[in-house]
Amino acid sequence: MASESANLKSDAIMDQMKQHLSTDAGKELLKKIGLVYQIQIAPKKLGYNEVIYTVDLKKGEVTKGPYEGGKPDATFSFKDDDFVKVALGKMNPQLAFMRGAMKIKGSLSAAQKFTPDIFPKPAKM
């Protein structure tokens, strides 16, 4: 089972996000949002074999594993494919939530700031 969770498409997005937060555009996000999100990504089925990421938009860090500084402002659960769609702006986060493709725990006002704008634009091939 472990090998399955090692190949999430989301991993590449999280790597890009790490680099993005060190840029000027990324630093603007920190000023604008200043929240901590925990993102749980399941390879196939919500709640199973999840890989957890912490996206800290206070410090500008993306780390694998649960948030250790208390409670995150909001926690999102996605299937890998759905997370990729939302991060790339191919699926509206509100629509993902209404369809059950995204689950949210925590502050809804914090969750509303979780938009495709916080993700780096994919590099054009």
Side-chain angles (χ1 to χ4, degrees):
M1 281 293 175
S3 62
E4 188 180 312
S5 65
N7 297 320
L8 293 176
K9 297 182 197 104
S10 307
D11 289 338
I13 292 172
M14 291 300 188
D15 285 342
Q16 289 171 351
M17 180 107 189
K18 269 182 206 170
Q19 290 157 4
H20 180 59
L21 291 178
S22 65
T23 66
D24 290 342
K27 291 188 175 88
E28 280 304 306
L29 277 178
L30 302 184
K31 283 186 210 145
K32 198 168 94 181
I33 298 178
L35 297 167
V36 178
Y37 294 122
Q38 186 168 292
I39 302 173
Q40 300 172 183
I41 301 169
K44 299 271 182 271
K45 194 172 170 205
L46 280 181
Y48 294 91
N49 301 327
E50 288 178 332
V51 174
I52 298 175
Y53 282 96
T54 298
V55 177
D56 187 332
L57 297 178
K58 287 180 179 160
K59 292 184 188 160
E61 296 174 346
V62 177
T63 51
K64 224 173 194 172
Y67 181 53
E68 292 174 359
K71 277 177 98 159
D73 294 294
T75 299
F76 298 92
S77 299
F78 292 96
K79 284 193 310 224
D80 190 32
D81 289 344
D82 292 330
F83 173 75
V84 170
K85 286 178 194 157
V86 169
L88 297 180
K90 293 184 173 148
M91 189 192 302
N92 175 309
Q94 283 85 359
L95 191 65
F97 179 68
M98 290 189 296
R99 285 186 183 161
M102 172 173 94
K103 298 213 178 340
I104 302 171
K105 282 189 200 123
S107 157
L108 282 180
S109 63
Q112 285 168 338
K113 293 182 180 167
F114 180 82
T115 66
D117 301 342
I118 70 173
F119 295 97
K121 297 295 157 259
K124 300 281 176 269
M125 295 298 186

